Amino acid sequence: MSEEKSVPRAEQRRLQMADIARLAGVSVSTVSRALNGSTLVNPETRQRVADLARSLNYSINLSAQNLRLQKNRTIAVVVPYDADSRQHISDPFFLSIVGAIADALTDRGYDMLLQRVDAEHLDQASHAVDSGKAAGLLIIGQWRHHDQLNELAARKLPVVVWGAQLPQQLYCSVGGDNVLGGRLATEHMLSLGRRRIAFLGDAELPEVMHRREGYWQALRTAGIQPDPALELPAPFEVSMARRQMLDFFGAHRDIDAVVACSDLLALQSLQVLRALGRRVPEEVAVIGYDDMPLATYSDPPLSSVHQPVSKAGAELVAALLKMLEGERLAPITLPVHLSLRASAPVR
């Protein structure tokens, strides 16, 4: 019988970590932190250590480690489905913000569990945390169910919501300055000499309600009383919105500007106005909201209120991780600005 003894697995792993540390030019403790996704290690070093670990066939059992440390490194990202607004997960804004969240979670060493739940039953979003599949929740949008979100917060669930700051809010929200965005868009239209300015969007949704409030503020400051006849509560579903816009713009030939609550609605309005023989921006100027990349590819290129989506993803993740560490957080409002293009150019 051979007297040669095999090297214990723990010792093999320690030697491998030492090799990685030597090749990366860092300490073994830095390698350990990098492989565990610690933000104490800068992203470049984490990536270099991860690449070396793969080249040496080094693996770390995160499931076993999480069990041992009693730490879950998965975050559930919930995109509710609202039957009335019909905003699909394929909406460019959803894709952009989910992508930004995924990047931020990866930078922090967390995994993402993407979920779709009925907006009428947001309590279903808690199942991922209750079952132990996720450590916390990031919910994209408040929809019409502020009360349900408050109930989740009242249960002490770690939850952060992309949306507007609302009265009697118990949960932490991160969102753009919607009132400012609506006001900036409308003020620009007024500066172009436009006076019959339409607003597109369902103001029963909190973010849209605040954008409309900014629209109202700008009109009143200019001495113009808001006209409910110039407001169209269009859904996000394209074909339904198009039918409503055809009737709306056909009945209001005096409209000379459009402030839309999303880029998708603004782009649809460009098509409808063209179909009705209206010229953009000569007869009708158009501004959207979100400033998605596709805004630059429309004809004419779409002016839009820019939301800092990449920063939003990082802020949402940072807020939730602070909450998981026991911090109490106030709502966070991010700045917005106008991106002006040919659909509503500078005068």
Side-chain angles (χ1 to χ4, degrees):
M1 179 182 295
S2 170
E3 295 183 1
E4 182 179 351
K5 295 183 180 179
S6 62
V7 178
R9 179 168 296 180
E11 180 66 7
Q12 288 178 346
R13 293 174 66 81
R14 190 187 68 77
L15 291 172
Q16 282 183 302
M17 288 184 71
D19 289 336
I20 295 169
R22 177 174 52 80
L23 292 170
V26 298
S27 67
V28 172
S29 61
T30 296
V31 170
S32 177
R33 285 194 290 268
L35 292 173
N36 289 319
S38 172
T39 56
L40 296 175
V41 182
N42 68 60
E44 293 79 10
T45 300
R46 290 206 304 269
Q47 187 61 53
R48 186 165 72 253
V49 168
D51 292 341
L52 287 167
R54 280 193 293 272
S55 71
L56 294 173
N57 293 320
Y58 181 94
S59 64
I60 184 167
N61 188 333
L62 283 176
S63 296
Q65 183 191 64
N66 287 343
L67 182 62
R68 184 171 66 255
L69 299 178
Q70 295 186 339
K71 187 172 184 180
N72 188 323
R73 301 192 71 84
T74 297
I75 299 299
V77 178
V78 182
V79 183
Y81 174 73
D82 182 78
D84 293 326
S85 68
R86 299 180 176 238
Q87 191 171 17
H88 296 288
I89 200 169
S90 58
D91 183 291
F93 177 76
F94 280 158
L95 294 178
S96 294
I97 198 165
V98 168
I101 290 170
D103 289 343
L105 287 172
T106 299
D107 287 345
R108 298 296 194 101
Y110 280 78
D111 295 321
M112 181 176 78
L113 174 64
L114 184 62
Q115 294 188 309
R116 189 76 155 141
V117 302
D118 185 342
E120 293 292 332
H121 302 284
L122 285 179
D123 58 311
Q124 295 174 354
S126 69
H127 294 172
V129 173
D130 294 338
S131 66
K133 292 180 180 178
L137 300 173
L138 293 174
I139 299 179
I140 311 303
Q142 293 150 309
W143 307 100
R144 298 168 174 81
H145 305 295
H146 176 56
D147 55 339
Q148 290 190 43
L149 294 170
N150 271 343
E151 289 172 9
L152 291 177
R155 288 182 49 198
K156 306 301 182 184
L157 283 171
V159 56
V160 177
V161 179
W162 169 263
Q165 183 176 351
L166 300 174
Q168 289 81 52
Q169 182 169 308
L170 301 180
Y171 54 91
C172 174
S173 63
V174 175
D177 191 335
N178 295 290
V179 175
L180 175 62
R183 189 169 68 244
L184 289 175
T186 310
E187 286 174 347
H188 180 68
M189 295 304 198
L190 292 165
S191 75
L192 296 178
R194 311 301 168 106
R195 291 296 181 268
R196 297 292 287 171
I197 304 171
F199 181 87
L200 307 184
D202 183 357
E204 288 190 14
L205 301 175
E207 288 182 283
V208 180
M209 175 183 66
H210 284 186
R211 292 168 195 178
R212 187 185 65 176
E213 176 58 34
Y215 159 80
W216 283 350
Q217 287 181 9
L219 291 176
R220 287 170 176 150
T221 299
I224 300 172
Q225 185 62 31
D227 183 353
L230 296 183
E231 297 176 17
L232 176 66
F236 290 105
E237 202 279 319
V238 173
S239 62
M240 183 178 294
R242 180 181 176 82
R243 289 193 296 271
Q244 292 186 13
M245 286 183 200
L246 281 167
D247 293 338
F248 178 72
F249 289 126
H252 297 89
R253 302 290 297 189
D254 59 340
I255 286 174
D256 57 13
V258 173
V259 171
C261 76
S262 78
D263 285 347
L264 276 188
L265 289 179
L267 291 171
Q268 189 61 238
S269 72
L270 290 179
Q271 295 184 20
V272 170
L273 288 166
R274 183 179 293 116
L276 293 173
R278 306 296 303 280
R279 293 176 300 145
V280 176
E282 293 84 356
E283 295 179 73
V284 185
V286 178
I287 292 181
Y289 209 106
D290 294 330
D291 196 23
M292 295 291 96
L294 57 81
T296 62
Y297 299 112
S298 67
D299 180 22
L302 179 67
S303 292
S304 186
V305 178
H306 179 85
Q307 296 214 83
V309 173
S310 295
K311 182 175 176 62
E315 290 283 357
L316 284 161
V317 170
L320 183 59
L321 297 189
K322 287 178 183 177
M323 188 174 293
L324 290 171
E325 294 296 327
E327 290 190 38
R328 291 177 59 86
L329 299 172
I332 298 167
T333 300
L334 303 177
V336 299
H337 66 264
L338 281 182
S339 293
L340 295 177
R341 303 185 184 93
S343 72
V346 176
R347 190 170 185 178

mmCIF file of all heavy atoms in Angstrom, residues 4 11 47 79 87 95 117 129 152 171 181 183 192 209 227 266 269 272 286 311 317:
data_model
loop_
_atom_site.group_PDB
_atom_site.id
_atom_site.type_symbol
_atom_site.label_atom_id
_atom_site.label_comp_id
_atom_site.label_asym_id
_atom_site.label_seq_id
_atom_site.Cartn_x
_atom_site.Cartn_y
_atom_site.Cartn_z
ATOM 1 N N GLU A 4 1.877 7.366 0.316
ATOM 2 C CA GLU A 4 1.641 8.748 -0.116
ATOM 3 C C GLU A 4 0.211 9.169 0.228
ATOM 4 O O GLU A 4 -0.748 8.482 -0.078
ATOM 5 C CB GLU A 4 1.836 8.854 -1.629
ATOM 6 C CG GLU A 4 1.640 10.284 -2.134
ATOM 7 C CD GLU A 4 1.864 10.340 -3.633
ATOM 8 O OE1 GLU A 4 2.321 9.344 -4.202
ATOM 9 O OE2 GLU A 4 1.563 11.397 -4.211
ATOM 10 N N GLU A 11 -6.697 22.152 1.695
ATOM 11 C CA GLU A 11 -5.332 22.598 1.443
ATOM 12 C C GLU A 11 -5.122 22.907 -0.040
ATOM 13 O O GLU A 11 -4.434 23.868 -0.394
ATOM 14 C CB GLU A 11 -4.336 21.523 1.898
ATOM 15 C CG GLU A 11 -2.873 21.875 1.689
ATOM 16 C CD GLU A 11 -2.408 23.042 2.550
ATOM 17 O OE1 GLU A 11 -3.180 23.505 3.416
ATOM 18 O OE2 GLU A 11 -1.265 23.510 2.333
ATOM 19 N N GLN A 47 -12.365 41.408 -11.497
ATOM 20 C CA GLN A 47 -12.416 40.757 -12.806
ATOM 21 C C GLN A 47 -11.130 39.983 -13.078
ATOM 22 O O GLN A 47 -11.164 38.860 -13.590
ATOM 23 C CB GLN A 47 -12.634 41.803 -13.903
ATOM 24 C CG GLN A 47 -12.872 41.208 -15.286
ATOM 25 C CD GLN A 47 -14.104 40.328 -15.329
ATOM 26 O OE1 GLN A 47 -15.185 40.751 -14.947
ATOM 27 N NE2 GLN A 47 -13.950 39.080 -15.763
ATOM 28 N N VAL A 79 -41.202 42.806 -12.188
ATOM 29 C CA VAL A 79 -41.835 43.717 -13.146
ATOM 30 C C VAL A 79 -43.322 43.383 -13.182
ATOM 31 O O VAL A 79 -43.736 42.418 -13.821
ATOM 32 C CB VAL A 79 -41.217 43.574 -14.553
ATOM 33 C CG1 VAL A 79 -41.846 44.588 -15.516
ATOM 34 C CG2 VAL A 79 -39.711 43.760 -14.502
ATOM 35 N N GLN A 87 -48.459 47.679 -20.244
ATOM 36 C CA GLN A 87 -47.044 47.931 -20.507
ATOM 37 C C GLN A 87 -46.290 46.606 -20.408
ATOM 38 O O GLN A 87 -46.160 46.022 -19.338
ATOM 39 C CB GLN A 87 -46.475 48.953 -19.520
ATOM 40 C CG GLN A 87 -45.099 49.454 -19.905
ATOM 41 C CD GLN A 87 -44.657 50.607 -19.028
ATOM 42 O OE1 GLN A 87 -45.217 50.841 -17.954
ATOM 43 N NE2 GLN A 87 -43.648 51.341 -19.463
ATOM 44 N N LEU A 95 -36.580 47.129 -20.310
ATOM 45 C CA LEU A 95 -35.353 46.434 -20.694
ATOM 46 C C LEU A 95 -34.119 47.200 -20.230
ATOM 47 O O LEU A 95 -33.150 46.600 -19.739
ATOM 48 C CB LEU A 95 -35.313 46.248 -22.213
ATOM 49 C CG LEU A 95 -36.384 45.325 -22.816
ATOM 50 C CD1 LEU A 95 -36.243 45.266 -24.331
ATOM 51 C CD2 LEU A 95 -36.296 43.918 -22.227
ATOM 52 N N VAL A 117 -45.263 39.556 -12.051
ATOM 53 C CA VAL A 117 -46.445 39.280 -11.230
ATOM 54 C C VAL A 117 -47.578 40.201 -11.645
ATOM 55 O O VAL A 117 -47.359 41.271 -12.218
ATOM 56 C CB VAL A 117 -46.153 39.449 -9.720
ATOM 57 C CG1 VAL A 117 -45.026 38.537 -9.271
ATOM 58 C CG2 VAL A 117 -45.852 40.894 -9.384
ATOM 59 N N VAL A 129 -38.893 36.059 -1.352
ATOM 60 C CA VAL A 129 -38.214 36.266 -0.073
ATOM 61 C C VAL A 129 -38.714 35.270 0.972
ATOM 62 O O VAL A 129 -37.929 34.674 1.702
ATOM 63 C CB VAL A 129 -38.421 37.716 0.416
ATOM 64 C CG1 VAL A 129 -37.867 37.904 1.827
ATOM 65 C CG2 VAL A 129 -37.752 38.694 -0.546
ATOM 66 N N LEU A 152 -46.394 45.477 2.030
ATOM 67 C CA LEU A 152 -45.135 44.717 1.974
ATOM 68 C C LEU A 152 -44.110 45.325 2.931
ATOM 69 O O LEU A 152 -43.414 44.608 3.658
ATOM 70 C CB LEU A 152 -44.577 44.709 0.552
ATOM 71 C CG LEU A 152 -45.349 43.920 -0.507
ATOM 72 C CD1 LEU A 152 -44.697 44.082 -1.870
ATOM 73 C CD2 LEU A 152 -45.433 42.441 -0.146
ATOM 74 N N TYR A 171 -42.509 52.512 2.213
ATOM 75 C CA TYR A 171 -41.409 51.824 1.530
ATOM 76 C C TYR A 171 -40.427 52.840 0.945
ATOM 77 O O TYR A 171 -40.748 54.021 0.767
ATOM 78 C CB TYR A 171 -41.951 50.928 0.418
ATOM 79 C CG TYR A 171 -42.843 51.634 -0.566
ATOM 80 C CD1 TYR A 171 -42.333 52.222 -1.726
ATOM 81 C CD2 TYR A 171 -44.221 51.740 -0.339
ATOM 82 C CE1 TYR A 171 -43.155 52.885 -2.614
ATOM 83 C CE2 TYR A 171 -45.056 52.404 -1.230
ATOM 84 C CZ TYR A 171 -44.513 52.974 -2.367
ATOM 85 O OH TYR A 171 -45.322 53.635 -3.247
ATOM 86 N N GLY A 181 -39.614 66.934 -14.807
ATOM 87 C CA GLY A 181 -39.589 66.480 -16.188
ATOM 88 C C GLY A 181 -40.776 66.985 -16.987
ATOM 89 O O GLY A 181 -40.627 67.490 -18.109
ATOM 90 N N ARG A 183 -42.581 69.574 -16.278
ATOM 91 C CA ARG A 183 -42.509 71.035 -16.383
ATOM 92 C C ARG A 183 -41.495 71.464 -17.449
ATOM 93 O O ARG A 183 -41.767 72.360 -18.255
ATOM 94 C CB ARG A 183 -42.135 71.636 -15.026
ATOM 95 C CG ARG A 183 -42.246 73.157 -15.009
ATOM 96 C CD ARG A 183 -42.146 73.721 -13.615
ATOM 97 N NE ARG A 183 -40.812 73.566 -13.041
ATOM 98 C CZ ARG A 183 -40.539 72.819 -11.971
ATOM 99 N NH1 ARG A 183 -41.500 72.138 -11.358
ATOM 100 N NH2 ARG A 183 -39.314 72.747 -11.501
ATOM 101 N N LEU A 192 -41.316 77.702 -27.610
ATOM 102 C CA LEU A 192 -41.422 77.627 -29.067
ATOM 103 C C LEU A 192 -42.653 78.362 -29.589
ATOM 104 O O LEU A 192 -42.919 78.363 -30.796
ATOM 105 C CB LEU A 192 -41.489 76.155 -29.504
ATOM 106 C CG LEU A 192 -40.254 75.285 -29.209
ATOM 107 C CD1 LEU A 192 -40.506 73.846 -29.651
ATOM 108 C CD2 LEU A 192 -39.015 75.839 -29.888
ATOM 109 N N MET A 209 -48.884 60.798 -13.177
ATOM 110 C CA MET A 209 -49.605 61.854 -12.458
ATOM 111 C C MET A 209 -48.664 63.013 -12.137
ATOM 112 O O MET A 209 -49.016 64.191 -12.313
ATOM 113 C CB MET A 209 -50.204 61.297 -11.169
ATOM 114 C CG MET A 209 -50.875 62.332 -10.280
ATOM 115 S SD MET A 209 -51.498 61.627 -8.723
ATOM 116 C CE MET A 209 -49.952 61.172 -7.916
ATOM 117 N N ASP A 227 -56.451 72.365 -20.020
ATOM 118 C CA ASP A 227 -57.700 71.974 -20.666
ATOM 119 C C ASP A 227 -57.807 70.446 -20.664
ATOM 120 O O ASP A 227 -57.039 69.774 -21.358
ATOM 121 C CB ASP A 227 -57.723 72.503 -22.105
ATOM 122 C CG ASP A 227 -59.036 72.194 -22.821
ATOM 123 O OD1 ASP A 227 -59.879 71.474 -22.265
ATOM 124 O OD2 ASP A 227 -59.195 72.692 -23.966
ATOM 125 N N ALA A 266 -44.788 58.757 -27.511
ATOM 126 C CA ALA A 266 -44.366 59.861 -28.361
ATOM 127 C C ALA A 266 -44.078 59.384 -29.778
ATOM 128 O O ALA A 266 -44.475 60.026 -30.760
ATOM 129 C CB ALA A 266 -43.128 60.528 -27.764
ATOM 130 N N SER A 269 -47.215 58.769 -31.548
ATOM 131 C CA SER A 269 -47.867 60.012 -31.945
ATOM 132 C C SER A 269 -47.241 60.582 -33.219
ATOM 133 O O SER A 269 -47.950 61.167 -34.049
ATOM 134 C CB SER A 269 -47.807 61.038 -30.811
ATOM 135 O OG SER A 269 -46.506 61.561 -30.641
ATOM 136 N N VAL A 272 -48.929 58.725 -36.029
ATOM 137 C CA VAL A 272 -50.332 59.095 -36.187
ATOM 138 C C VAL A 272 -50.452 60.498 -36.789
ATOM 139 O O VAL A 272 -51.265 60.741 -37.693
ATOM 140 C CB VAL A 272 -51.068 59.022 -34.838
ATOM 141 C CG1 VAL A 272 -52.463 59.632 -34.950
ATOM 142 C CG2 VAL A 272 -51.165 57.563 -34.375
ATOM 143 N N VAL A 286 -43.155 67.568 -30.715
ATOM 144 C CA VAL A 286 -43.384 66.385 -29.875
ATOM 145 C C VAL A 286 -42.179 66.151 -28.956
ATOM 146 O O VAL A 286 -41.032 66.176 -29.408
ATOM 147 C CB VAL A 286 -43.617 65.118 -30.734
ATOM 148 C CG1 VAL A 286 -43.794 63.885 -29.835
ATOM 149 C CG2 VAL A 286 -44.838 65.304 -31.631
ATOM 150 N N LYS A 311 -27.708 55.130 -13.630
ATOM 151 C CA LYS A 311 -27.596 55.563 -12.230
ATOM 152 C C LYS A 311 -28.752 55.017 -11.407
ATOM 153 O O LYS A 311 -28.565 54.634 -10.242
ATOM 154 C CB LYS A 311 -27.571 57.092 -12.162
ATOM 155 C CG LYS A 311 -27.416 57.649 -10.752
ATOM 156 C CD LYS A 311 -27.287 59.155 -10.765
ATOM 157 C CE LYS A 311 -27.222 59.718 -9.345
ATOM 158 N NZ LYS A 311 -26.055 59.221 -8.601
ATOM 159 N N VAL A 317 -30.078 49.213 -6.365
ATOM 160 C CA VAL A 317 -29.324 48.119 -5.745
ATOM 161 C C VAL A 317 -28.655 48.592 -4.460
ATOM 162 O O VAL A 317 -28.723 47.914 -3.421
ATOM 163 C CB VAL A 317 -28.284 47.556 -6.734
ATOM 164 C CG1 VAL A 317 -27.328 46.597 -6.027
ATOM 165 C CG2 VAL A 317 -28.985 46.848 -7.885
#
